[in-house]
Amino acid sequence: IYTGKVEINTEDCLNILEASHFFDISVLEKKWADFVSRLLEPNNCCLIAIFANSKNFDFLLEKCLAFIFSKARKVTKATSFKNLPSELMLKICQSSDLRIHEIDLYLAVTEWCNYQKEKISEEVIRNI
């Protein structure tokens, strides 16, 4: 019997978020996205942003980006920062909400470019 109640926990939160999106249960999707967004830390926010972007979870992606903008200095030092796709890196670099010194951003993006050199085009590099 479905009761309309769900226990939220960290073990299966992304799976349930994905299922709620698949079955178009928007109330549950938003509740889970809120829960996942409260778990954001500098070392996991890029991975969650990549997941949200790949699944078109716009609400969760916006939460991740807001976190990245506000904690950019710490986030750029996380290993997962280098795994961000070009699309997200452009959003981050072009944001006026980004809280980081230009030299720190330059160094982080340079490291990202070196790591992603096989995957990124010259156009992406020009736009960053």
Side-chain angles (χ1 to χ4, degrees):
I1 298 173
Y2 178 67
T3 63
K5 295 179 183 179
V6 176
E7 183 178 322
I8 299 175
N9 62 60
T10 56
E11 292 177 23
D12 58 357
C13 60
L14 294 179
N15 291 332
I16 292 184
L17 177 60
E18 192 170 7
S20 66
H21 183 72
F22 179 79
F23 291 111
D24 197 26
I25 307 171
S26 58
V27 172
L28 182 58
E29 182 180 342
K30 187 173 183 324
K31 185 171 238 151
W32 278 96
D34 282 336
F35 174 76
V36 172
S37 69
R38 288 192 301 271
L39 301 175
L40 293 175
E41 296 179 357
N43 64 343
N44 71 9
C45 63
C46 292
L47 294 174
I48 295 172
I50 292 166
F51 173 80
N53 188 55
S54 71
K55 302 295 183 180
N56 295 315
F57 295 148
D58 295 334
F59 179 78
L60 181 56
L61 179 58
E62 292 307 315
K63 295 271 190 178
C64 290
L65 289 173
F67 184 89
I68 291 169
F69 298 156
S70 68
K71 307 282 188 208
R73 191 159 182 220
K74 290 182 180 180
V75 171
T76 57
K77 296 186 184 324
T79 305
S80 60
F81 182 78
K82 292 185 267 184
N83 293 315
L84 286 169
S86 301
E87 173 188 347
L88 292 181
M89 185 59 73
L90 284 171
K91 282 183 181 183
I92 291 166
C93 290
Q94 294 172 347
S95 173
S96 61
D97 296 327
L98 196 60
R99 301 291 173 243
I100 190 170
H101 290 55
E102 285 185 30
I103 188 67
D104 293 331
L105 180 60
Y106 172 80
L107 293 172
V109 171
T110 300
E111 191 173 328
W112 176 85
C113 286
N114 288 333
Y115 186 80
Q116 295 278 338
K117 63 184 164 191
E118 307 282 321
K119 299 178 186 176
I120 57 176
S121 67
E122 287 184 34
E123 181 182 343
V124 169
I125 294 172
R126 276 195 305 274
N127 287 320
I128 291 179

